[in-house]
Amino acid sequence: MIGAIAVLFVAYWFYRTALRLKLPPLAWAAGGVIVYYAGFAVWLYGVLRPLLGESFRNHTFLLGLGIDLSSVLVGILLATLFRAKIMVKQGGTPYEKHF
């Protein structure tokens, strides 16, 4: 549930930013969702699964909550970095880009 709310937030955030920067909003919203899920999946299956071993499959409620929350936070962090480093630099007027 937390992940679904987070991905909707990321999509809306990217959509509104694209409108403000005069970029194609649906494409950037989809890109934000893809970047979010990429960070989420890499953290969940590439880092936590090997790190936790059998505890990844058989975990307590608190460990499961920590796994989910940390994956959501990493996804949001990666989407935020992508927005700051790539998306925001695509927008703006030519004067702002070349000055």
Side-chain angles (χ1 to χ4, degrees), residues 81-94:
L81 290 174
F82 179 80
R83 180 186 171 274
K85 299 292 182 183
I86 308 273
M87 182 181 186
V88 173
K89 292 188 185 220
Q90 295 293 320
T93 63

Side-chain angles (χ1 to χ4, degrees), residues 36-96:
Y36 168 83
Y37 275 127
F40 183 95
V42 167
W43 178 255
L44 187 64
Y45 297 111
V47 176
L48 291 181
R49 188 174 189 179
L51 185 67
L52 295 175
E54 189 60 32
S55 295
F56 183 81
R57 288 179 37 148
N58 302 322
H59 53 267
T60 63
F61 172 76
L62 289 178
L63 181 59
L65 186 62
I67 290 170
D68 288 344
L69 286 177
S70 67
S71 298
V72 166
L73 290 175
V74 168
I76 289 173
L77 176 67
L78 190 62
T80 302
L81 290 174
F82 179 80
R83 180 186 171 274
K85 299 292 182 183
I86 308 273
M87 182 181 186
V88 173
K89 292 188 185 220
Q90 295 293 320
T93 63
Y95 173 77
E96 293 171 350

